[in-house]
Amino acid sequence: MAAVDAADVWPEDAEDVEEGIVATWFVRDGATVEEGDTLCEVQIEKVSVDVVAPVGGVVERGVEENEPFDQGRTLVHIEPG
Amino acid sequence: MAQVEAPGPETTDRELTMSRAMVEAIRSEMEENEEVFYMGEDVADYGGIFDSTQGLLEEFGHDRVMDVPISETGFIGGAVGAAMQGMRPIAELMFVDFFGVCMDQIYNNMAKTAYMSGGSVSVPMVLTTAVGGTYNDAAQHSGTLYGTFAHLPGMKVVVPSTAYDAKGLMHTAIRDDDPVVYMFHKRLMGLAWMPAPEGPKTPVPEEPYEIPFGEADVKREGEDVTVVTLGLHVHRALEAAEELAGEVDVEVIDLRTLVPLDTETVLDSVRKTGRLVAVDEDYRSFGVTGELLARAAEGALEDLEAVERVATPDVPIPYARPLEEEVQPGVEDVVEAVRAVR
Amino acid sequence: MPSVSELQEMYEQAVTARRYEERLQEEYLEGKQPAFDISAGPIPGELHLAAGHEAAAVGVCQHLRDSDVVTAPHRPHHVAIAKGVDLRRMTAEIFGRRTGLSKGKGGHMHLYDPEVNFACSGIIAQGCPPAVGAALAAKKRNTDDVAVAYLGEGAISQGAFLESLNLAGLHDLPVVFVVEDNDWAISMPKGRVTDVDDGSRRADGFAVHGDRVDVDDAVAVYEAAGEAVGRARNGNGPTLLEVQVHRRMGHFMGDPESYRPEADAERAEALDSIPRLEERLRAHGVEDDEIEGIRERANDRVEDAIVWAKDQPQPDPEEAYEDAFTQQPEGWPERPEVAATDGGER
Ligand SMILES: Cc1ncc(C[n+]2csc(CCOP(=O)(O)OP(=O)(O)O)c2C)c(N)n1
């Protein structure tokens, strides 16, 4: 199982920011994606970051749309299929 | 143009925001055709204030994703000239409200050249522009001006309401040999800082596809009342229809393009329901809603039982929240209007 | 050179303006975290703050009186403060309140205070022609009032500005165009949108006086503006005055500024005009506690305006239909008359 953690996408100059938020998901839970597909857009401070699938597989979202998350959260799990 | 059936949204799992869908079409056309380029303020490094060019600079560089001086007459007129030379420029007017500083290029050059030249010169360009209120940006940054552009002959006018349509309509717009005004509603773009309502984010197939101009989309079928609208208000009308479900069976039509206007789809629906509610974020007088009622009267008078329109009253858009909310046509306004024609 | 009391006045206006923007930033960001939502919080919509532009406001407005006209662009607060706009009512306007300058209809880009002849436009360079018109009125009426149009360096490529310059030059009108050069037009650095480094050279093509103040310094602006305003007041025609300022915040609140090199933001910090003005005061023998006193007075004034504004009533929705005309036609605007349109007999 692969995962993308919030810490993986946290901008360097935003270390002191406590929370980010998922602005939009581009895939639903259970969707099959390929490596490199954009999964969601997160907003940390004022910066938008795209979260990209590190491997192909089936998506399980770790955070819902408009839900705040901290650096310790896992944003998404991917079950390689 | 030979029309290949567009792949439906059901063919993919992938959902896009409206801005990303629009950019995907632009990217694909720029990859296919060297003659397509984008000009506008803050379209390069910023990626468009409303994300209309997000990521294009990285792929195409400053030569094809051109930041321009704040000189709308100059660069929009420049796009007209490049288009007259056969290139396919896309020029962005950051907010439609700024049209005043460059309307001569739009109205007297872009829109009229094909006709004035007896068809010997065409202007195959796209003018993209952000429209709409709902976020208290006040009188100089909140208009839609749909009616203004649709009123003046010579430009095709496109108003997408979903990501799926945004992509297909953009492909069609860039390939079209005439000037196309592509009006995207800020509230629908899916910007992180201006949350969109449910609806505009849709599945979007990866391959290029066109959505033909002049084909309205029946978003919801119904027997009792026809609601015709466009842009943001497609989603508000759908919400109103949902609220009325069980009480009134509402049909909701998304025009998608104002020029050309799919009068037939509107008339077919009106013949069925006899009751028409025209809904629009533009000003009430001399605009889209009046035009829709006129066409219904011209084409289906015998079937027409009642009409109503919901639009912004004829005042500049005010700033304060209670004032903007008062003039912005809301879901409840649509609900009331539908009840009134019942 | 400005007198000590003039220096103190300018300093007070500058620190008021700075404090104002810092406090508005705080108020604006309320309700907009962690997700920045432009329509949330006590101040919705776009907000362009002018921290770092103070020298241009206080250095010029020090020479103006209430009857002189000022038009400001989308970034207006510092100029409004220096021109003497009613701070409470301006703040109420920004908070969208009924007792605001425009009863909540205008918002932060559309501030009008006829008492001190101040107006704004959020459309780039569009304050220039009305300033020319105000100068024309002054000339026709034989007053010695002047008009000042503020604009950004990004605006000097706009037709409305260039046409205004020509018209003003042609008729020797008492107008001063003040270009606030903060190096950026949103994300576009100056060098990307014009080949002319020194914007005041635009004046040459219209046989108008051009001048540029290269340092972000209220006193240098005061000197240059003194000449320009004097020229206008004495009937010797217009001036284009470009002033170097710095943008200390994003273009608007919520601007990620990913296009801006860190060094540039640091430069803006380092070249700030307010410590410079403070040094001048000290050099003129003004004591630290006096300076502190001025600051406190400024802070109190800002706080008073914000507290007052937030306590003001919201406009009544019905008020949306008032004021589009001064002589509003009867029954205007036409309102949706729901339930009146049953087709009935045809
Ligand atoms: C005619 C017009 N075009 C574009 C805009 C959008 N816009 C608002 S501020 C701005 C940049 C202005 O830059 P500058 O004049 O240098 O002033 P600054 O914001 O740096 O103070 C732009 C492009 C506008 N308001 N009006």
Side-chain angles (χ1 to χ4, degrees):
Chain A
M1 175 94 90
V4 181
D5 296 326
D8 301 337
V9 299
W10 213 271
E12 270 174 34
D13 54 2
E15 281 307 323
D16 53 335
V17 179
E18 283 175 16
E19 284 184 320
I21 194 160
V22 174
T24 190
W25 277 102
F26 303 115
V27 287
R28 290 176 189 264
D29 249 341
T32 305
V33 298
E34 288 175 20
E35 182 184 334
D37 282 358
T38 306
L39 304 176
C40 64
E41 178 182 332
V42 300
Q43 204 194 358
I44 297 164
E45 181 77 292
K46 289 169 277 178
V47 180
S48 289
V49 183
D50 278 2
V51 177
V52 170
V55 295
V58 177
V59 167
E60 189 197 324
R61 298 177 180 184
V63 183
E64 279 317 304
E65 213 157 274
N66 292 323
E67 192 189 332
F69 56 82
D70 60 26
Q71 280 205 50
R73 279 288 279 280
T74 295
L75 299 175
V76 59
H77 299 275
I78 299 176
E79 185 71 61
Chain B
M1 195 179 311
Q3 204 45 67
V4 192
E5 193 61 32
E10 66 290 346
T11 59
T12 179
D13 260 356
R14 182 188 67 142
E15 299 195 343
L16 288 186
T17 55
M18 208 168 92
S19 74
R20 288 175 188 246
M22 181 180 151
V23 170
E24 191 164 280
I26 297 168
R27 168 180 288 119
S28 142
E29 292 296 328
M30 286 181 72
E31 282 166 353
E32 287 302 308
N33 185 351
E34 281 285 320
E35 305 258 277
V36 178
F37 64 101
Y38 206 106
M39 281 200 278
E41 293 150 18
D42 305 284
V43 300
D45 300 72
Y46 202 103
I49 298 300
F50 304 104
D51 288 1
S52 55
T53 54
Q54 208 47 248
L56 294 180
L57 175 70
E58 290 71 10
E59 185 171 345
F60 301 104
H62 279 107
D63 278 350
R64 292 184 69 198
V65 184
M66 292 174 64
D67 267 348
V68 293
I70 308 171
S71 311
E72 287 84 358
T73 289
F75 78 82
I76 290 174
V80 174
M84 287 166 69
Q85 295 305 311
M87 293 194 80
R88 291 193 176 252
I90 306 169
E92 177 171 305
L93 179 60
M94 191 187 289
F95 288 72
V96 75
D97 311 73
F98 309 159
F99 79 115
V101 302
C102 51
M103 200 55 175
D104 190 65
Q105 291 303 320
I106 296 171
Y107 173 52
N108 279 316
N109 277 346
M110 186 183 90
K112 293 178 182 171
T113 290
Y115 191 82
M116 293 191 301
S117 68
S120 64
V121 182
S122 61
V123 186
M125 66 176 277
V126 180
L127 178 67
T128 54
T129 188
V131 305
T134 72
Y135 65 103
N136 311 93
D137 221 4
Q140 294 182 336
H141 291 75
S142 302
T144 60
L145 300 181
Y146 297 138
T148 304
F149 285 82
H151 175 67
L152 303 168
M155 20 186 177
K156 294 172 180 169
V157 178
V158 175
V159 185
S161 71
T162 67
Y164 180 81
D165 287 353
K167 176 169 169 174
L169 289 167
M170 180 57 85
H171 275 292
T172 313
I174 297 172
R175 294 175 194 178
D176 198 285
D177 290 334
D178 289 309
V180 177
V181 183
Y182 186 103
M183 308 176 98
F184 54 86
H185 199 293
K186 294 163 238 173
R187 182 56 85 187
L188 296 179
M189 291 292 264
L191 306 167
W193 49 276
M194 197 190 294
E198 288 283 313
K201 189 168 81 179
T202 63
V204 177
E206 310 229 359
E207 58 268 47
Y209 57 91
E210 291 183 28
I211 293 178
F213 291 169
E215 282 189 17
D217 187 18
V218 180
K219 287 284 190 201
R220 177 189 175 113
E221 296 195 12
E223 296 300 319
D224 299 339
V225 173
T226 302
V227 174
V228 183
T229 186
L230 75 172
L232 172 67
H233 283 74
V234 170
H235 305 286
R236 294 196 169 173
L238 286 169
E239 212 179 311
E242 198 53 45
E243 195 177 320
L244 287 159
E247 178 190 345
V248 189
D249 192 16
V250 179
E251 180 145 305
V252 177
I253 297 176
D254 176 2
L255 290 170
R256 299 201 290 196
T257 65
L258 284 173
V259 182
L261 187 72
D262 184 358
T263 310
E264 264 327 294
T265 297
V266 174
L267 293 183
D268 284 347
S269 178
V270 168
R271 287 187 191 112
K272 175 173 70 174
T273 63
R275 292 153 199 285
L276 171 62
V277 175
V279 180
D280 176 19
E281 191 179 329
D282 200 1
Y283 300 119
R284 179 178 167 87
S285 297
F286 311 101
V288 173
T289 53
E291 181 64 28
L292 288 168
L293 266 48
R295 295 214 186 189
E298 284 166 350
L301 192 59
E302 319 76 65
D303 300 294
L304 213 49
E305 301 278 345
V307 297
E308 191 63 62
R309 52 180 164 151
V310 180
T312 298
D314 301 327
V315 291
I317 319 285
Y319 163 66
R321 212 173 261 133
L323 300 180
E324 191 192 16
E325 271 167 19
E326 171 66 22
V327 303
Q328 253 285 334
V331 174
E332 282 316 303
D333 296 318
V334 180
V335 167
E336 255 183 72
V338 169
R339 287 205 175 112
V341 296
R342 269 289 284 167
Chain C
M1 274 301 281
S3 66
V4 177
S5 71
E6 277 194 303
L7 275 176
Q8 284 172 324
E9 275 170 38
M10 287 198 286
Y11 181 71
E12 179 154 354
Q13 301 291 17
V15 292
T16 304
R18 174 65 57 86
R19 177 67 166 197
Y20 193 70
E21 302 300 54
E22 287 169 353
R23 285 290 290 114
L24 279 193
Q25 178 176 37
E26 282 171 23
E27 295 287 334
Y28 182 79
L29 290 178
E30 204 178 294
K32 295 189 179 76
Q33 273 157 2
F36 183 91
D37 176 348
I38 189 169
S39 36
I43 305 175
E46 283 178 82
L47 188 66
H48 310 82
L49 299 180
H53 283 223
E54 294 83 358
V58 304
V60 174
C61 292
Q62 190 64 32
H63 300 284
L64 303 182
R65 51 198 192 207
D66 287 355
S67 56
D68 293 327
V69 170
V70 168
T71 65
H74 57 288
R75 198 182 300 288
H77 304 161
H78 59 314
V79 185
I81 288 170
K83 184 67 172 68
V85 169
D86 185 323
L87 196 62
R88 281 184 164 187
R89 293 189 59 216
M90 161 169 148
T91 311
E93 185 60 31
I94 294 167
F95 280 89
R97 303 307 165 109
R98 176 193 273 159
T99 47
L101 287 171
S102 308
K103 308 176 195 166
K105 292 192 174 81
H108 113 98
M109 282 187 273
H110 315 115
L111 300 168
Y112 298 83
D113 189 350
E115 298 286 317
V116 295
N117 289 292
F118 180 86
C120 299
S121 173
I123 312 291
I124 296 303
Q126 297 300 320
C128 297
V132 168
L136 182 67
K139 187 172 176 181
K140 282 186 183 299
R141 290 169 168 172
N142 276 320
T143 72
D144 66 349
D145 290 334
V146 304
V148 176
Y150 276 86
L151 58 153
E153 92 294 335
I156 66 168
S157 301
Q158 189 66 293
F161 163 65
L162 297 166
E163 294 177 26
S164 298
L165 209 50
N166 187 51
L167 197 55
L170 180 67
H171 293 288
D172 290 325
L173 298 178
V175 56
V176 182
F177 302 94
V178 178
V179 176
E180 296 178 275
D181 177 5
N182 66 6
D183 302 315
W184 294 94
I186 313 186
S187 70
M188 305 192 296
K190 186 162 72 165
R192 190 175 300 164
V193 291
T194 180
D195 266 351
V196 180
D197 245 5
D198 173 354
S200 71
R201 281 178 52 203
R202 292 271 201 277
D204 299 349
F206 301 96
V208 165
H209 283 277
D211 195 3
R212 178 178 157 87
V213 178
D214 257 327
V215 284
D216 192 346
D217 176 9
V219 172
V221 176
Y222 174 93
E223 299 288 344
E227 267 186 47
V229 172
R231 182 177 298 125
R233 237 189 255 302
N234 296 327
N236 295 322
T239 304
L240 169 55
L241 174 62
E242 184 169 86
V243 174
Q244 182 69 55
V245 295
H246 292 94
R247 200 180 86 191
R248 293 171 65 86
M249 297 172 170
H251 169 77
F252 31 38
M253 294 292 94
D255 180 355
E257 292 200 277
S258 8
Y259 53 82
R260 187 174 188 181
E262 198 139 320
D264 185 78
E266 283 163 11
R267 230 181 80 232
E269 182 75 39
L271 298 177
D272 191 15
S273 71
I274 288 183
R276 203 190 289 263
L277 196 49
E278 229 167 82
E279 277 317 304
R280 300 260 191 182
L281 285 174
R282 288 202 187 89
H284 281 76
V286 181
E287 304 285 339
D288 277 0
D289 55 349
E290 264 181 276
I291 294 177
E292 192 47 39
I294 296 177
R295 276 185 175 274
E296 270 169 28
R297 210 160 52 230
N299 293 354
D300 289 349
R301 200 172 148 227
V302 168
E303 223 42 52
D304 165 76
I306 291 176
V307 169
W308 186 82
K310 287 169 77 170
D311 197 36
Q312 297 300 299
Q314 304 271 353
D316 183 51
E318 280 296 306
E319 293 168 32
Y321 304 107
E322 299 166 2
D323 294 322
F325 296 101
T326 304
Q327 297 172 282
Q328 191 137 311
E330 183 107 21
W332 191 95
E334 197 196 335
R335 302 273 287 279
E337 242 184 86
V338 165
T341 33
D342 190 347
E345 319 281 318
R346 283 192 297 272

